Amino acid sequence: MITKVKKINRDASSEKDYEEASQILRNGGLVAFPTETVYGLGGDGLLASAAEKIYAAKGRPSDNPLIIHIADIESLALLTDEVPEQARKLADAFWPGPLTMIFKKSAKVPYGTTGGLETVAVRMPDHPVALDLIRNSGVLIAAPSANTSGRPSPTKADHVYEDLNGKIDMIIDGGSVGIGIESTIVDLTSSVPTILRPGFITKEMLEDVIGIVEIDKAILEKGVKDGLRPKAPGMKYKHYAPKGDLTLYDGEEDLVVEAINQAVKEKQKLNKKVGVIATDETKERYQADYVMSIGSRKNEQSIAKHLYGILRDFDHLEVEYIYGECFSSANFGQAIMNRLLKAAGYQVVKLSDKEGRDKVDELR
Ligand code: TXA
Ligand code: MG
């Protein structure tokens, strides 16, 4: 299959720009498109055969359900017969935006889209190209992140091309995304609303609108280690993994820099190619084959925005070992650390523990 790449200017597009993409979607084909979080791989959410094509293109297990994207609140009534009061409030507060809500599904939504579940995930993205594509095509677009399953989510059209060229009909290039990590998912079918995946919309922001919100314990570091089963099927897979072996270091800045430099040296002695994920504040302090800054500690949003891109950059450089710093897990930091920890397969050296410090001392 030949994958067409179509550039669309997010600030100046016309109906004509969407004609071909709309036709593809209406014919059951696949179009990747930008959203404010990451690029999505879109197909008709009400058509089981489109979902099948999405799973095939991504190499994704078909028990992992898709999010359906809508452009107006009226469309929600097609997807679910029950919109809880709390969902209305959250939609008013955060849609369009990086929030996905889980509802009981209506009969119209095929099990192919929901991975066999009785529930459906819905989101109204806050990106003019995504909204115009939904409106112009008249299709409610099911879209997972537009990466090959297990690779970092795409934050630019080039990333989509790298993974899916030849496997889908079209890629709409609308420039880099704004946020850089996937939407917050909140389940409103449980007795207490529960976050199944952290994102830009934090627990605190949700609680300001609807009161107490829980977080699925299975997605926290301890829950993962205890082998709890996440409520969002996709959270159980090893995800976002770079090809190199990534280890994170947690602790006071000077100690982290020293420990990472030591680890780099050890690997270089073995002739390994080594990279460091630094910050603007620390990047001058590392010696490795490649040192890349993920952003400034003073600007959490810059960190989220560069996270997946940097993992892909290290893949291109064929770095074998990667060392990185940890960040605060408060607020939006929870989403950032969730993705980083997953990318690292939860390999963290904690320099606040005696064991971690002893290791640094040993190598001094
Ligand atoms: O920001 C985003 O959400 C992006 C953009 C493209 O909108 N999409 C995205 O989709 O991240 P995906 O498929 O990569 O991740 C969807 C997650 C998966 O972990 C899936 O298991 C979960 O949502 N999910 C979908 N439907 C669900 C349902 N009915 N119940 C529980 N979890 C669900
Ligand atoms: Mg994904």
Side-chain angles (χ1 to χ4, degrees), residues 51-126:
E52 261 171 52
K53 286 186 194 166
I54 290 175
Y55 290 119
K58 274 181 68 84
R60 170 165 170 153
S62 60
D63 68 341
N64 189 0
L66 308 174
I67 297 171
I68 301 187
H69 296 67
I70 59 175
D72 51 64
I73 196 75
E74 290 72 37
S75 301
L76 189 55
L78 293 171
L79 304 175
T80 181
D81 304 322
E82 281 172 50
V83 180
E85 185 52 31
Q86 288 173 320
R88 294 225 175 271
K89 288 188 181 158
L90 291 178
D92 276 348
F94 300 115
W95 277 1
L99 178 70
T100 295
M101 292 194 259
I102 310 281
F103 301 95
K104 287 216 174 89
K105 84 169 193 70
S106 71
K108 283 206 176 65
V109 182
Y111 287 109
T113 302
T114 69
L117 298 178
E118 293 298 337
T119 53
V120 61
V122 186
R123 164 166 125 78
M124 192 191 294
D126 186 15

Side-chain angles (χ1 to χ4, degrees), residues 7 22 33 72 80 96 116 141 144 172 181 201 218 236 270 309 325 330 343 351 358:
K7 270 201 194 308
S22 297
F33 61 98
D72 51 64
T80 181
I141 304 180
I172 297 179
I181 59 183
I201 306 291
K236 71 174 182 269
L270 303 170
E325 302 173 12
L351 296 170
D358 285 350

Side-chain angles (χ1 to χ4, degrees), residues 58 60 145 147 153 182 239:
K58 274 181 68 84
R60 170 165 170 153
S145 49
N147 51 288
S153 292
E182 307 85 345
H239 237 169

Side-chain angles (χ1 to χ4, degrees), residues 274-311:
V274 192
V276 173
I277 303 177
T279 51
D280 289 355
E281 288 77 13
T282 56
K283 63 174 188 250
E284 310 296 340
R285 301 177 64 193
Y286 291 108
Q287 294 89 43
D289 299 300
Y290 301 98
V291 178
M292 285 195 244
S293 173
I294 192 172
S296 168
R297 282 194 178 269
K298 295 191 199 97
N299 180 356
E300 250 181 350
Q301 290 189 35
S302 71
I303 293 169
K305 197 170 166 152
H306 298 128
L307 200 158
Y308 288 137
I310 234 176
L311 297 178

Side-chain angles (χ1 to χ4, degrees), residues 21-269:
S22 297
Q23 204 56 52
I24 293 169
L25 289 171
R26 285 194 291 263
N27 290 339
L30 304 186
V31 176
F33 61 98
T35 81
E36 81 280 35
T37 56
V38 299
Y39 270 75
L41 172 56
D44 185 343
L46 300 183
L47 193 67
S49 62
E52 261 171 52
K53 286 186 194 166
I54 290 175
Y55 290 119
K58 274 181 68 84
R60 170 165 170 153
S62 60
D63 68 341
N64 189 0
L66 308 174
I67 297 171
I68 301 187
H69 296 67
I70 59 175
D72 51 64
I73 196 75
E74 290 72 37
S75 301
L76 189 55
L78 293 171
L79 304 175
T80 181
D81 304 322
E82 281 172 50
V83 180
E85 185 52 31
Q86 288 173 320
R88 294 225 175 271
K89 288 188 181 158
L90 291 178
D92 276 348
F94 300 115
W95 277 1
L99 178 70
T100 295
M101 292 194 259
I102 310 281
F103 301 95
K104 287 216 174 89
K105 84 169 193 70
S106 71
K108 283 206 176 65
V109 182
Y111 287 109
T113 302
T114 69
L117 298 178
E118 293 298 337
T119 53
V120 61
V122 186
R123 164 166 125 78
M124 192 191 294
D126 186 15
H127 193 293
V129 173
L131 292 170
D132 282 346
L133 182 63
I134 300 166
R135 287 191 194 112
N136 281 286
S137 62
V139 168
L140 302 184
I141 304 180
S145 49
N147 51 288
T148 299
S149 193
R151 296 219 62 209
S153 292
T155 52
K156 324 190 242 197
D158 284 354
H159 297 159
V160 181
Y161 190 85
E162 190 177 292
D163 284 10
L164 299 177
N165 180 35
K167 299 182 175 165
I168 62 176
D169 300 286
M170 183 184 263
I171 299 170
I172 297 179
D173 180 351
S176 288
V177 300
I179 294 176
I181 59 183
E182 307 85 345
S183 60
T184 306
I185 302 179
V186 59
D187 184 358
L188 294 157
T189 64
S190 49
S191 54
V192 181
T194 306
I195 294 174
L196 308 188
R197 178 176 72 183
F200 183 76
I201 306 291
T202 63
K203 182 168 184 281
E204 292 74 15
M205 288 160 80
L206 296 170
E207 286 184 334
D208 277 348
V209 179
I210 56 167
I212 293 200
V213 171
E214 283 179 354
I215 180 147
D216 182 4
K217 290 191 183 60
I219 65 169
L220 301 175
E221 193 174 350
K222 183 170 180 319
V224 172
K225 290 192 168 147
D226 290 348
L228 301 182
R229 192 186 169 79
K231 296 200 179 85
M235 296 297 277
K236 71 174 182 269
Y237 297 106
K238 185 170 190 251
H239 237 169
Y240 322 120
K243 291 176 191 153
D245 183 63
L246 171 63
T247 307
L248 302 176
Y249 282 72
D250 186 25
E252 197 259 310
E253 184 173 297
D254 287 342
L255 219 50
V256 166
V257 170
E258 186 184 354
I260 288 181
N261 277 328
Q262 280 173 357
V264 171
K265 246 190 240 159
E266 291 301 303
K267 292 296 180 213
Q268 285 180 331
K269 272 188 210 152

